[in-house]
Amino acid sequence: MINMIYIEDLELQRIIAQAKHEFPNECCGFLSGTKSGDTINIEKIYPLTNLDKSSEHFSMDPKEQFNTIKIIRGEEMIFIGNYHSHPYTPSRPSEEDIRLAYDPNIIYGILSLEKEEPVFNLFKITKDGVLKLEYQIINK
């Protein structure tokens, strides 16, 4: 059970910058960090390529994913989950996001650029449904 999630402000700003840079397409990437008991620290993001180049869905390059996991492990962190942007829709999992959520143990981040102010949320997606997770932004 996850009790608390922390994300470094600099990394959240990097997700926002990537989403704006890749707009109108969805951006995507990995979340990494550390876990201690029921606390997760998202310490670093890894932007990945959206092979679909679409504003409605994304696909990550398997080779790029594999290489990024090796880098995360080499930096003595763990894979926490993934993130992507919704250029025109709210920060919640779409039907496609839910259908393609292959791992109930990871966290899914969604950044919405629908409104002027970006909105970032984290979710657990399991066969039982979608759970929005609370998090705190920290400055290091």
Side-chain angles (χ1 to χ4, degrees), residues 79-132:
F79 172 71
I80 304 289
N82 64 48
Y83 68 87
H84 70 279
S85 64
H86 283 179
Y88 302 109
T89 57
S91 174
R92 63 175 178 252
S94 66
E95 285 185 27
E96 182 174 285
D97 293 335
I98 294 167
R99 184 171 45 81
L100 297 175
Y102 62 92
D103 188 343
N105 299 309
I106 68 170
I107 292 173
Y108 296 88
I110 301 175
L111 176 78
S112 172
L113 296 177
E114 177 186 35
K115 299 194 164 97
E116 190 172 326
E117 191 65 33
V119 176
F120 183 73
N121 286 305
L122 296 170
F123 301 91
K124 272 286 204 192
I125 304 174
T126 68
K127 63 177 173 33
D128 297 325
V130 175
L131 176 65
K132 183 177 173 187

Side-chain angles (χ1 to χ4, degrees), residues 4 34-41 78:
M4 180 46 76
T34 57
K35 186 175 180 184
S36 177
D38 56 3
T39 299
I40 292 175
N41 294 294
I78 61 169

Side-chain angles (χ1 to χ4, degrees), residues 18-35:
Q18 178 191 3
K20 288 181 175 181
H21 177 74
E22 295 186 27
F23 185 88
N25 296 326
E26 290 191 1
C27 76
C28 56
F30 282 169
L31 304 167
S32 73
T34 57
K35 186 175 180 184

Side-chain angles (χ1 to χ4, degrees), residues 58-77:
F58 70 98
S59 294
M60 297 181 195
D61 178 343
K63 185 175 181 184
E64 189 178 32
Q65 290 181 70
F66 180 76
N67 289 338
T68 302
I69 293 294
K70 285 182 13 184
I71 292 167
I72 291 169
R73 288 180 180 154
E75 293 179 348
E76 297 184 0
M77 290 189 284

